[in-house]
Amino acid sequence: MAKVVTFGEIMLRLETVGYYRFVQSEYYQALYGGGEANVAVSLANFGMDVDFVTKLPAHEIGQGAVNSLRRYGVGTDKIIRGGDRVGIYYLEKGASQRASKVIYDRAGSSIAMAKAEDFDWEKIFEGAEWFHFTGITPALGGELPVICEQACKAAKKLGLKISCDLNYRKKLWSREQAKETMTRLAEYVDVCIANEEDAKDVFGIKAPATDIEGGKLSQEGYKEVAGRLAENFGFETVAITLRTSLSASDNHWAAMLYDGKEFYFSKSYPIHIVDRVGGGDSFGAGLIYSLLNKMDKQDALEFAVAASCLKHTVEGDFNMVTVEEVQKLAQGDGSGRVQR
């Protein structure tokens, strides 16, 4: 079984209950989540051998984050312990025309304060075939841009495939900072994953004939985006999720994939959203799983999109679905009938 390593921050997720607004809430539900951790849990639920790497404090809140991964079979023995705090994000779920909101409280977290010498990447990557990180991790600042580059160099030296989800977060860094750092890291990446806005926000590559706020996405425009990404950075594969947002509650969900030769487009799913946080991460995990399992490109894309479609129906950051459930949807059964 192929082994995957993911690297990033796992946070304490504090969310208002139901659809309460921040200013209404008298208590919050506590969960854990974060981009690369979400990918790790998805892969573990698919039966993959996966390690998550981060730095967490040794106190009980840090241990709670570790335990949240262990319960789903994610390897945690390469997590570094130290520092004082777990990053936090607060979530207010949107509905209908009211957008969801996220407030970060992650400055000074253990991973944000990590040092390059904390990580022995060649040892971490022993026996691994794939390394995954996102643009969120270097955006946390400190030494993390250097740490991510060291990880990529070690992974490349050892022959691992490297995937990166661009995941631009304007609350963490500017477009100029993102472009400078991600351009440097992109030279190591084999599989680039992005959403419909990331290429524009990070690299200034905008899809022609597209109006994201107006809900108009052009397939031809995203062919141009994927082609330019592959040409500019030498990516073997470019995958872009395509979200048509009708409202906070209802979206159309699809994706495209470019392998340097052909463009592939998935079927589109109408989704009534339960929880959209982690939707992109579940797509990334589905793509990693399907490529490692040697699915052909169209089937790999359909698997990833179906996995992510299902995530939108699951509370919390983690995608609690099985390979069989994903395959069933990818093969056309989206009826939602009761399984008895």
Side-chain angles (χ1 to χ4, degrees):
M1 183 188 300
K3 182 176 181 179
V4 179
V5 174
T6 76
F7 172 58
E9 179 170 38
I10 184 169
M11 293 173 287
L12 179 65
R13 162 177 161 157
L14 297 178
E15 66 177 2
T16 61
V17 176
Y19 292 95
Y20 273 56
R21 307 213 67 188
F22 287 135
V23 294
Q24 289 178 284
S25 293
E26 297 180 357
Y27 54 92
Y28 290 80
Q29 175 170 264
L31 300 169
Y32 290 94
E36 299 88 348
N38 299 343
V39 171
V41 171
S42 281
L43 290 171
N45 283 333
F46 293 156
M48 300 290 288
D49 183 3
V50 56
D51 284 339
F52 176 65
V53 180
T54 191
K55 187 172 184 179
L56 284 167
H59 56 49
E60 289 87 349
I61 306 302
Q63 189 60 42
V66 172
N67 293 349
S68 73
L69 298 164
R70 283 180 176 168
R71 68 182 296 194
Y72 299 113
V74 175
T76 60
D77 62 320
K78 295 179 176 66
I79 292 176
I80 308 301
R81 306 307 289 267
D84 298 320
R85 69 183 304 253
V86 176
I88 299 170
Y89 83 93
Y90 298 86
L91 173 64
E92 173 190 290
K93 285 186 184 178
S96 192
Q97 280 68 46
R98 176 173 60 81
S100 297
K101 289 189 176 182
V102 169
I103 296 174
Y104 290 126
D105 178 15
R106 58 203 300 185
S109 66
S110 291
I111 188 63
M113 305 301 289
K115 301 297 182 185
E117 57 265 26
D118 288 335
F119 304 96
D120 182 346
W121 289 108
E122 292 203 10
K123 186 175 181 181
I124 288 168
F125 289 141
E126 285 180 0
E129 295 184 31
W130 196 291
F131 173 54
H132 177 77
F133 72 106
T134 79
I136 296 172
T137 302
L140 298 175
E143 295 188 20
L144 281 167
V146 173
I147 294 170
C148 286
E149 188 167 11
Q150 290 176 340
C152 287
K153 285 181 177 178
K156 189 63 70 175
K157 176 183 175 182
L158 294 169
L160 279 71
K161 287 289 186 185
I162 301 174
S163 58
C164 177
D165 190 331
L166 296 181
N167 258 351
Y168 177 70
R169 295 291 185 268
K170 65 182 179 182
K171 292 185 177 182
L172 296 179
W173 59 357
S174 68
R175 289 183 173 88
E176 293 73 23
Q177 290 172 313
K179 184 176 182 178
E180 179 183 357
T181 298
M182 296 309 294
T183 297
R184 189 167 66 251
L185 294 174
E187 69 175 277
Y188 304 100
V189 173
D190 301 298
V191 179
C192 177
I193 302 166
N195 68 23
E196 66 281 349
E197 297 182 274
D198 285 334
K200 171 178 66 69
D201 289 333
V202 177
F203 296 124
I205 301 173
K206 186 178 186 301
T210 286
D211 176 8
I212 292 170
E213 286 75 20
K216 298 177 181 178
L217 304 184
S218 163
Q219 284 196 358
E220 291 302 315
Y222 282 99
K223 284 184 180 181
E224 182 173 330
V225 170
R228 288 180 62 187
L229 285 171
E231 181 180 356
N232 291 356
F233 302 105
F235 302 135
E236 292 178 6
T237 303
V238 177
I240 302 175
T241 58
L242 303 173
R243 182 188 300 274
T244 304
S245 187
L246 308 178
S247 70
S249 302
D250 294 284
N251 291 179
H252 289 161
W253 182 250
M256 67 157 295
L257 185 146
Y258 177 56
D259 66 358
K261 298 177 182 178
E262 294 187 47
F263 295 95
Y264 302 86
F265 285 86
S266 75
K267 69 184 73 172
S268 180
Y269 294 94
I271 304 174
H272 185 71
I273 295 172
V274 171
D275 190 336
R276 65 160 286 179
V277 177
D281 304 321
S282 59
F283 173 83
L287 188 65
I288 293 167
Y289 173 86
S290 56
L291 292 177
L292 277 171
N293 281 277
K294 312 299 184 185
M295 294 185 191
D296 68 41
K297 298 299 171 55
Q298 187 67 51
D299 287 344
L301 180 63
E302 296 292 357
F303 184 93
V305 172
S308 187
C309 175
L310 290 173
K311 165 62 194 76
H312 287 74
T313 71
V314 179
E315 294 275 11
D317 269 54
F318 299 156
N319 195 14
M320 299 288 97
V321 298
T322 65
V323 169
E324 291 74 19
E325 289 172 320
V326 176
Q327 289 174 334
K328 188 173 183 179
L329 178 58
Q331 291 164 8
D333 187 352
S335 66
R337 292 177 62 85
V338 176
Q339 303 298 302
R340 303 184 196 274

PDB file of all heavy atoms in Angstrom, residues 124-152:
ATOM      1  N   ILE A 124      11.409  11.433   7.985  1.00  0.00           N
ATOM      2  CA  ILE A 124       9.942  11.498   7.899  1.00  0.00           C
ATOM      3  C   ILE A 124       9.428  10.794   6.651  1.00  0.00           C
ATOM      4  O   ILE A 124       8.395  10.111   6.672  1.00  0.00           O
ATOM      5  CB  ILE A 124       9.480  12.970   7.920  1.00  0.00           C
ATOM      6  CG1 ILE A 124       9.661  13.565   9.323  1.00  0.00           C
ATOM      7  CG2 ILE A 124       8.021  13.104   7.468  1.00  0.00           C
ATOM      8  CD1 ILE A 124       9.499  15.066   9.387  1.00  0.00           C
ATOM      9  N   PHE A 125      10.176  10.913   5.544  1.00  0.00           N
ATOM     10  CA  PHE A 125       9.718  10.371   4.262  1.00  0.00           C
ATOM     11  C   PHE A 125      10.112   8.914   4.034  1.00  0.00           C
ATOM     12  O   PHE A 125       9.830   8.375   2.959  1.00  0.00           O
ATOM     13  CB  PHE A 125      10.250  11.227   3.112  1.00  0.00           C
ATOM     14  CG  PHE A 125       9.614  12.585   3.001  1.00  0.00           C
ATOM     15  CD1 PHE A 125      10.387  13.692   2.668  1.00  0.00           C
ATOM     16  CD2 PHE A 125       8.264  12.765   3.215  1.00  0.00           C
ATOM     17  CE1 PHE A 125       9.812  14.946   2.550  1.00  0.00           C
ATOM     18  CE2 PHE A 125       7.670  14.017   3.099  1.00  0.00           C
ATOM     19  CZ  PHE A 125       8.441  15.112   2.769  1.00  0.00           C
ATOM     20  N   GLU A 126      10.719   8.280   5.000  1.00  0.00           N
ATOM     21  CA  GLU A 126      11.109   6.877   4.813  1.00  0.00           C
ATOM     22  C   GLU A 126       9.885   6.021   4.473  1.00  0.00           C
ATOM     23  O   GLU A 126       8.894   6.011   5.196  1.00  0.00           O
ATOM     24  CB  GLU A 126      11.783   6.333   6.076  1.00  0.00           C
ATOM     25  CG  GLU A 126      13.212   6.835   6.267  1.00  0.00           C
ATOM     26  CD  GLU A 126      13.853   6.281   7.525  1.00  0.00           C
ATOM     27  OE1 GLU A 126      13.180   5.505   8.255  1.00  0.00           O
ATOM     28  OE2 GLU A 126      15.007   6.646   7.812  1.00  0.00           O
ATOM     29  N   GLY A 127       9.951   5.322   3.368  1.00  0.00           N
ATOM     30  CA  GLY A 127       8.866   4.434   2.951  1.00  0.00           C
ATOM     31  C   GLY A 127       7.693   5.115   2.280  1.00  0.00           C
ATOM     32  O   GLY A 127       6.728   4.449   1.896  1.00  0.00           O
ATOM     33  N   ALA A 128       7.748   6.435   2.115  1.00  0.00           N
ATOM     34  CA  ALA A 128       6.621   7.179   1.530  1.00  0.00           C
ATOM     35  C   ALA A 128       6.763   7.291   0.019  1.00  0.00           C
ATOM     36  O   ALA A 128       7.872   7.239  -0.531  1.00  0.00           O
ATOM     37  CB  ALA A 128       6.515   8.561   2.149  1.00  0.00           C
ATOM     38  N   GLU A 129       5.619   7.454  -0.638  1.00  0.00           N
ATOM     39  CA  GLU A 129       5.592   7.637  -2.089  1.00  0.00           C
ATOM     40  C   GLU A 129       5.022   8.988  -2.502  1.00  0.00           C
ATOM     41  O   GLU A 129       5.196   9.389  -3.664  1.00  0.00           O
ATOM     42  CB  GLU A 129       4.765   6.526  -2.750  1.00  0.00           C
ATOM     43  CG  GLU A 129       5.348   5.137  -2.601  1.00  0.00           C
ATOM     44  CD  GLU A 129       4.543   4.091  -3.357  1.00  0.00           C
ATOM     45  OE1 GLU A 129       3.939   4.424  -4.407  1.00  0.00           O
ATOM     46  OE2 GLU A 129       4.486   2.934  -2.889  1.00  0.00           O
ATOM     47  N   TRP A 130       4.338   9.664  -1.581  1.00  0.00           N
ATOM     48  CA  TRP A 130       3.642  10.905  -1.964  1.00  0.00           C
ATOM     49  C   TRP A 130       3.730  11.901  -0.811  1.00  0.00           C
ATOM     50  O   TRP A 130       3.570  11.527   0.355  1.00  0.00           O
ATOM     51  CB  TRP A 130       2.176  10.593  -2.263  1.00  0.00           C
ATOM     52  CG  TRP A 130       1.434  11.661  -3.011  1.00  0.00           C
ATOM     53  CD1 TRP A 130       1.070  12.892  -2.544  1.00  0.00           C
ATOM     54  CD2 TRP A 130       0.940  11.589  -4.351  1.00  0.00           C
ATOM     55  NE1 TRP A 130       0.384  13.588  -3.506  1.00  0.00           N
ATOM     56  CE2 TRP A 130       0.293  12.807  -4.627  1.00  0.00           C
ATOM     57  CE3 TRP A 130       0.974  10.603  -5.340  1.00  0.00           C
ATOM     58  CZ2 TRP A 130      -0.313  13.072  -5.850  1.00  0.00           C
ATOM     59  CZ3 TRP A 130       0.378  10.872  -6.556  1.00  0.00           C
ATOM     60  CH2 TRP A 130      -0.264  12.089  -6.811  1.00  0.00           C
ATOM     61  N   PHE A 131       3.961  13.176  -1.149  1.00  0.00           N
ATOM     62  CA  PHE A 131       3.980  14.264  -0.167  1.00  0.00           C
ATOM     63  C   PHE A 131       2.980  15.320  -0.597  1.00  0.00           C
ATOM     64  O   PHE A 131       2.962  15.744  -1.753  1.00  0.00           O
ATOM     65  CB  PHE A 131       5.375  14.876  -0.074  1.00  0.00           C
ATOM     66  CG  PHE A 131       5.442  16.122   0.786  1.00  0.00           C
ATOM     67  CD1 PHE A 131       4.983  16.111   2.093  1.00  0.00           C
ATOM     68  CD2 PHE A 131       5.970  17.304   0.278  1.00  0.00           C
ATOM     69  CE1 PHE A 131       5.036  17.253   2.881  1.00  0.00           C
ATOM     70  CE2 PHE A 131       6.030  18.448   1.061  1.00  0.00           C
ATOM     71  CZ  PHE A 131       5.563  18.430   2.364  1.00  0.00           C
ATOM     72  N   HIS A 132       2.149  15.752   0.366  1.00  0.00           N
ATOM     73  CA  HIS A 132       1.137  16.767   0.081  1.00  0.00           C
ATOM     74  C   HIS A 132       1.222  17.914   1.087  1.00  0.00           C
ATOM     75  O   HIS A 132       1.322  17.688   2.296  1.00  0.00           O
ATOM     76  CB  HIS A 132      -0.274  16.157   0.149  1.00  0.00           C
ATOM     77  CG  HIS A 132      -1.369  17.159  -0.074  1.00  0.00           C
ATOM     78  ND1 HIS A 132      -1.700  17.649  -1.322  1.00  0.00           N
ATOM     79  CD2 HIS A 132      -2.190  17.806   0.800  1.00  0.00           C
ATOM     80  CE1 HIS A 132      -2.685  18.518  -1.210  1.00  0.00           C
ATOM     81  NE2 HIS A 132      -2.997  18.638   0.065  1.00  0.00           N
ATOM     82  N   PHE A 133       1.164  19.139   0.563  1.00  0.00           N
ATOM     83  CA  PHE A 133       1.055  20.325   1.407  1.00  0.00           C
ATOM     84  C   PHE A 133       0.172  21.330   0.681  1.00  0.00           C
ATOM     85  O   PHE A 133      -0.245  21.104  -0.460  1.00  0.00           O
ATOM     86  CB  PHE A 133       2.441  20.922   1.716  1.00  0.00           C
ATOM     87  CG  PHE A 133       3.107  21.602   0.548  1.00  0.00           C
ATOM     88  CD1 PHE A 133       3.177  22.980   0.490  1.00  0.00           C
ATOM     89  CD2 PHE A 133       3.685  20.864  -0.493  1.00  0.00           C
ATOM     90  CE1 PHE A 133       3.808  23.621  -0.582  1.00  0.00           C
ATOM     91  CE2 PHE A 133       4.309  21.487  -1.560  1.00  0.00           C
ATOM     92  CZ  PHE A 133       4.371  22.872  -1.602  1.00  0.00           C
ATOM     93  N   THR A 134      -0.135  22.436   1.331  1.00  0.00           N
ATOM     94  CA  THR A 134      -0.960  23.470   0.706  1.00  0.00           C
ATOM     95  C   THR A 134      -0.310  24.834   0.885  1.00  0.00           C
ATOM     96  O   THR A 134       0.619  25.013   1.677  1.00  0.00           O
ATOM     97  CB  THR A 134      -2.383  23.530   1.297  1.00  0.00           C
ATOM     98  OG1 THR A 134      -2.342  24.238   2.548  1.00  0.00           O
ATOM     99  CG2 THR A 134      -2.982  22.152   1.502  1.00  0.00           C
ATOM    100  N   GLY A 135      -0.833  25.803   0.150  1.00  0.00           N
ATOM    101  CA  GLY A 135      -0.346  27.173   0.270  1.00  0.00           C
ATOM    102  C   GLY A 135      -0.664  27.818   1.595  1.00  0.00           C
ATOM    103  O   GLY A 135      -0.132  28.894   1.908  1.00  0.00           O
ATOM    104  N   ILE A 136      -1.510  27.175   2.405  1.00  0.00           N
ATOM    105  CA  ILE A 136      -1.813  27.727   3.727  1.00  0.00           C
ATOM    106  C   ILE A 136      -0.599  27.649   4.636  1.00  0.00           C
ATOM    107  O   ILE A 136      -0.337  28.573   5.419  1.00  0.00           O
ATOM    108  CB  ILE A 136      -3.002  26.975   4.363  1.00  0.00           C
ATOM    109  CG1 ILE A 136      -4.273  27.193   3.546  1.00  0.00           C
ATOM    110  CG2 ILE A 136      -3.217  27.421   5.808  1.00  0.00           C
ATOM    111  CD1 ILE A 136      -5.446  26.331   3.989  1.00  0.00           C
ATOM    112  N   THR A 137       0.167  26.577   4.536  1.00  0.00           N
ATOM    113  CA  THR A 137       1.262  26.354   5.481  1.00  0.00           C
ATOM    114  C   THR A 137       2.357  27.410   5.368  1.00  0.00           C
ATOM    115  O   THR A 137       2.712  28.040   6.374  1.00  0.00           O
ATOM    116  CB  THR A 137       1.812  24.931   5.327  1.00  0.00           C
ATOM    117  OG1 THR A 137       0.734  24.013   5.548  1.00  0.00           O
ATOM    118  CG2 THR A 137       2.892  24.652   6.341  1.00  0.00           C
ATOM    119  N   PRO A 138       2.920  27.692   4.201  1.00  0.00           N
ATOM    120  CA  PRO A 138       3.908  28.775   4.139  1.00  0.00           C
ATOM    121  C   PRO A 138       3.319  30.142   4.462  1.00  0.00           C
ATOM    122  O   PRO A 138       4.043  31.047   4.910  1.00  0.00           O
ATOM    123  CB  PRO A 138       4.431  28.712   2.701  1.00  0.00           C
ATOM    124  CG  PRO A 138       3.386  27.981   1.933  1.00  0.00           C
ATOM    125  CD  PRO A 138       2.772  27.012   2.896  1.00  0.00           C
ATOM    126  N   ALA A 139       1.993  30.308   4.267  1.00  0.00           N
ATOM    127  CA  ALA A 139       1.351  31.585   4.573  1.00  0.00           C
ATOM    128  C   ALA A 139       1.360  31.909   6.059  1.00  0.00           C
ATOM    129  O   ALA A 139       1.147  33.058   6.450  1.00  0.00           O
ATOM    130  CB  ALA A 139      -0.091  31.583   4.053  1.00  0.00           C
ATOM    131  N   LEU A 140       1.616  30.892   6.899  1.00  0.00           N
ATOM    132  CA  LEU A 140       1.641  31.126   8.344  1.00  0.00           C
ATOM    133  C   LEU A 140       2.891  31.876   8.782  1.00  0.00           C
ATOM    134  O   LEU A 140       2.985  32.315   9.928  1.00  0.00           O
ATOM    135  CB  LEU A 140       1.534  29.794   9.092  1.00  0.00           C
ATOM    136  CG  LEU A 140       0.240  29.010   8.853  1.00  0.00           C
ATOM    137  CD1 LEU A 140       0.307  27.655   9.538  1.00  0.00           C
ATOM    138  CD2 LEU A 140      -0.966  29.801   9.339  1.00  0.00           C
ATOM    139  N   GLY A 141       3.862  32.018   7.880  1.00  0.00           N
ATOM    140  CA  GLY A 141       5.013  32.866   8.147  1.00  0.00           C
ATOM    141  C   GLY A 141       6.111  32.194   8.935  1.00  0.00           C
ATOM    142  O   GLY A 141       6.218  30.971   8.988  1.00  0.00           O
ATOM    143  N   GLY A 142       6.939  33.034   9.590  1.00  0.00           N
ATOM    144  CA  GLY A 142       8.080  32.515  10.321  1.00  0.00           C
ATOM    145  C   GLY A 142       9.015  31.757   9.386  1.00  0.00           C
ATOM    146  O   GLY A 142       9.334  32.225   8.285  1.00  0.00           O
ATOM    147  N   GLU A 143       9.442  30.588   9.806  1.00  0.00           N
ATOM    148  CA  GLU A 143      10.345  29.776   8.988  1.00  0.00           C
ATOM    149  C   GLU A 143       9.609  28.797   8.081  1.00  0.00           C
ATOM    150  O   GLU A 143      10.240  28.005   7.375  1.00  0.00           O
ATOM    151  CB  GLU A 143      11.318  29.005   9.889  1.00  0.00           C
ATOM    152  CG  GLU A 143      12.264  29.892  10.671  1.00  0.00           C
ATOM    153  CD  GLU A 143      13.346  29.117  11.416  1.00  0.00           C
ATOM    154  OE1 GLU A 143      13.619  27.949  11.048  1.00  0.00           O
ATOM    155  OE2 GLU A 143      13.909  29.680  12.365  1.00  0.00           O
ATOM    156  N   LEU A 144       8.276  28.860   8.066  1.00  0.00           N
ATOM    157  CA  LEU A 144       7.527  27.845   7.322  1.00  0.00           C
ATOM    158  C   LEU A 144       7.762  27.870   5.810  1.00  0.00           C
ATOM    159  O   LEU A 144       7.783  26.797   5.189  1.00  0.00           O
ATOM    160  CB  LEU A 144       6.042  27.934   7.654  1.00  0.00           C
ATOM    161  CG  LEU A 144       5.704  27.281   9.003  1.00  0.00           C
ATOM    162  CD1 LEU A 144       4.312  27.645   9.451  1.00  0.00           C
ATOM    163  CD2 LEU A 144       5.859  25.754   8.938  1.00  0.00           C
ATOM    164  N   PRO A 145       7.956  29.023   5.171  1.00  0.00           N
ATOM    165  CA  PRO A 145       8.309  28.948   3.749  1.00  0.00           C
ATOM    166  C   PRO A 145       9.597  28.162   3.509  1.00  0.00           C
ATOM    167  O   PRO A 145       9.682  27.359   2.574  1.00  0.00           O
ATOM    168  CB  PRO A 145       8.469  30.420   3.351  1.00  0.00           C
ATOM    169  CG  PRO A 145       7.564  31.156   4.284  1.00  0.00           C
ATOM    170  CD  PRO A 145       7.703  30.422   5.595  1.00  0.00           C
ATOM    171  N   VAL A 146      10.581  28.363   4.367  1.00  0.00           N
ATOM    172  CA  VAL A 146      11.836  27.619   4.251  1.00  0.00           C
ATOM    173  C   VAL A 146      11.620  26.144   4.572  1.00  0.00           C
ATOM    174  O   VAL A 146      12.147  25.257   3.891  1.00  0.00           O
ATOM    175  CB  VAL A 146      12.907  28.223   5.194  1.00  0.00           C
ATOM    176  CG1 VAL A 146      14.160  27.349   5.219  1.00  0.00           C
ATOM    177  CG2 VAL A 146      13.249  29.633   4.764  1.00  0.00           C
ATOM    178  N   ILE A 147      10.839  25.860   5.615  1.00  0.00           N
ATOM    179  CA  ILE A 147      10.567  24.467   6.002  1.00  0.00           C
ATOM    180  C   ILE A 147       9.858  23.730   4.863  1.00  0.00           C
ATOM    181  O   ILE A 147      10.194  22.582   4.544  1.00  0.00           O
ATOM    182  CB  ILE A 147       9.742  24.416   7.297  1.00  0.00           C
ATOM    183  CG1 ILE A 147      10.550  24.969   8.476  1.00  0.00           C
ATOM    184  CG2 ILE A 147       9.280  22.992   7.594  1.00  0.00           C
ATOM    185  CD1 ILE A 147       9.738  25.192   9.741  1.00  0.00           C
ATOM    186  N   CYS A 148       8.878  24.376   4.227  1.00  0.00           N
ATOM    187  CA  CYS A 148       8.175  23.750   3.102  1.00  0.00           C
ATOM    188  C   CYS A 148       9.135  23.469   1.951  1.00  0.00           C
ATOM    189  O   CYS A 148       9.065  22.404   1.317  1.00  0.00           O
ATOM    190  CB  CYS A 148       7.034  24.645   2.628  1.00  0.00           C
ATOM    191  SG  CYS A 148       5.603  24.668   3.721  1.00  0.00           S
ATOM    192  N   GLU A 149      10.049  24.404   1.687  1.00  0.00           N
ATOM    193  CA  GLU A 149      11.012  24.186   0.609  1.00  0.00           C
ATOM    194  C   GLU A 149      11.961  23.040   0.950  1.00  0.00           C
ATOM    195  O   GLU A 149      12.283  22.219   0.095  1.00  0.00           O
ATOM    196  CB  GLU A 149      11.793  25.462   0.332  1.00  0.00           C
ATOM    197  CG  GLU A 149      12.676  25.354  -0.895  1.00  0.00           C
ATOM    198  CD  GLU A 149      13.212  26.696  -1.357  1.00  0.00           C
ATOM    199  OE1 GLU A 149      13.079  27.693  -0.623  1.00  0.00           O
ATOM    200  OE2 GLU A 149      13.783  26.739  -2.472  1.00  0.00           O
ATOM    201  N   GLN A 150      12.397  22.966   2.193  1.00  0.00           N
ATOM    202  CA  GLN A 150      13.251  21.850   2.606  1.00  0.00           C
ATOM    203  C   GLN A 150      12.524  20.515   2.460  1.00  0.00           C
ATOM    204  O   GLN A 150      13.112  19.522   2.026  1.00  0.00           O
ATOM    205  CB  GLN A 150      13.710  22.058   4.048  1.00  0.00           C
ATOM    206  CG  GLN A 150      14.705  23.201   4.223  1.00  0.00           C
ATOM    207  CD  GLN A 150      15.068  23.438   5.677  1.00  0.00           C
ATOM    208  OE1 GLN A 150      14.339  23.028   6.587  1.00  0.00           O
ATOM    209  NE2 GLN A 150      16.187  24.109   5.908  1.00  0.00           N
ATOM    210  N   ALA A 151      11.250  20.493   2.836  1.00  0.00           N
ATOM    211  CA  ALA A 151      10.460  19.272   2.694  1.00  0.00           C
ATOM    212  C   ALA A 151      10.353  18.872   1.229  1.00  0.00           C
ATOM    213  O   ALA A 151      10.512  17.694   0.874  1.00  0.00           O
ATOM    214  CB  ALA A 151       9.071  19.473   3.289  1.00  0.00           C
ATOM    215  N   CYS A 152      10.091  19.845   0.355  1.00  0.00           N
ATOM    216  CA  CYS A 152       9.961  19.550  -1.075  1.00  0.00           C
ATOM    217  C   CYS A 152      11.278  19.052  -1.660  1.00  0.00           C
ATOM    218  O   CYS A 152      11.293  18.108  -2.466  1.00  0.00           O
ATOM    219  CB  CYS A 152       9.499  20.800  -1.820  1.00  0.00           C
ATOM    220  SG  CYS A 152       7.772  21.227  -1.542  1.00  0.00           S
TER     221      CYS A 152
END
